[in-house]
Amino acid sequence: LKPLESYLLPLWELPAGASQSFCTMSCCFEWLSSRRPTPKVKVEKGWTEAHVGVASSAGVPREAFVRSCMKSAPREERTRENYAQYVNELFEMASALTVPHKADLGRHAFSYAYLLKDEFHGTGCEDALQFVATTKPRDPLSELRLDFDADWAAVPKDGTGRVSASAFKQFFVQKFAEDLAPEVENPYEEFLDLCFNACLSMVPGSESALEGRSFRYGALLAGEFSLSGEGSCPSDVLKIT
């Protein structure tokens, strides 16, 4: 069964008199899509929950971030422990997204870390952005998915077909070499180490290398670092902040 959007034609390709039917189908598809929160809606809800009792402009400390994420934690005790480790490593990664590192998460760092909280293996919500979906939707993220597919095809892999920490770091340092300000080269490499660790924790038992889904979400994070130096604006490629 094909996704509903694959049956929808642009208005200018429809035969005369068919626009009303098209609008009905389009509205139906929009309604169905709206039943799954968009990334922006999801992180805005998380930001609000993390600011109960405090000013909405305040940064989010580790305790508040972890508490908010743990609402989605699996019930099984050992899995909850692994999930708690994962969200703590997400916080470590996010705190290094800006230069200098911050103890609390600002809106951008919080949003990208919080968005990945459900990417932990076993939550039932993995691959929310459909980076590795068998049938990928045609939407504003289509080009981004192609970019990450190209990254996965190009990055060196070990004998198991996975990506090591050193290969991950070297690949993204080279990918963003032209955009990376000299003064943040070392902080960026440190960030990539934290990014790799967080993505590795997505799948407990991954040992020391990333599979395709974890790598692609790492690729998303790798491009959100303040590449141009202190005070520079992040790309916010998902337009969620």
Side-chain angles (χ1 to χ4, degrees):
L1 183 64
K2 296 181 180 179
L4 182 56
E5 71 268 31
S6 66
Y7 295 99
L8 302 182
L9 293 173
L11 187 59
W12 57 85
E13 293 184 12
L14 291 172
S19 59
Q20 184 174 357
S21 297
F22 169 79
C23 292
T24 301
M25 291 181 67
S26 180
C27 291
C28 179
F29 174 66
E30 290 177 3
W31 178 80
L32 289 171
S33 299
S34 68
R35 296 176 68 85
R36 173 186 290 183
T38 65
K40 185 175 180 65
V41 168
K42 181 177 179 179
V43 299
E44 285 180 347
K45 180 181 178 182
W47 182 261
T48 299
E49 290 177 350
H51 284 82
V52 174
V54 298
S56 61
S57 59
V60 179
R62 180 190 296 268
E63 181 181 358
F65 177 79
V66 173
R67 182 174 63 248
S68 183
C69 290
M70 289 302 292
K71 294 177 181 178
S72 303
R75 294 184 178 182
E76 196 274 322
E77 183 176 356
R78 179 59 184 275
T79 308
R80 284 181 67 87
E81 292 175 358
N82 290 333
Y83 183 77
Q85 176 185 344
Y86 171 60
V87 297
N88 271 282
E89 291 190 357
L90 281 179
F91 183 90
E92 291 288 340
M93 174 279 302
S95 67
L97 265 174
T98 55
V99 180
H101 295 188
K102 295 184 177 180
D104 296 343
L105 303 184
R107 190 69 177 253
H108 172 259
F110 173 89
S111 296
Y112 278 82
Y114 188 82
L115 185 64
L116 266 65
K117 72 181 180 65
D118 292 330
E119 290 302 321
F120 182 79
H121 181 71
T123 60
C125 302
E126 300 96 328
D127 198 25
L129 301 180
Q130 301 184 72
F131 286 162
V132 293
T134 302
T135 302
K136 298 178 182 179
R138 291 177 294 172
D139 61 17
L141 299 185
S142 294
E143 290 189 11
L144 191 65
R145 295 187 188 98
L146 291 174
D147 184 34
F148 295 160
D149 286 346
D151 287 346
W152 175 250
V155 67
K157 302 176 184 67
D158 63 17
T160 67
R162 300 187 178 196
V163 179
S164 68
S166 59
F168 181 86
K169 181 192 294 187
Q170 183 177 5
F171 180 83
F172 286 108
V173 167
Q174 291 178 349
K175 178 178 179 178
F176 295 112
E178 294 184 0
D179 303 314
L180 191 61
E183 65 269 21
V184 295
E185 288 180 359
N186 288 336
Y188 185 55
E189 291 189 13
E190 293 172 1
F191 164 74
L192 289 175
D193 286 336
L194 296 172
C195 181
F196 179 89
N197 291 339
C199 292
L200 192 67
S201 296
M202 282 183 185
V203 185
S206 293
E207 297 182 357
S208 59
L210 301 179
E211 43 77 49
R213 178 177 67 90
S214 301
F215 172 84
R216 286 171 172 84
Y217 281 89
L220 171 67
L221 297 171
E224 290 302 319
F225 183 82
S226 300
L227 297 168
S228 299
E230 184 174 349
S232 62
C233 295
S235 64
D236 187 19
V237 69
L238 298 179
K239 303 294 186 292
I240 57 176
T241 61

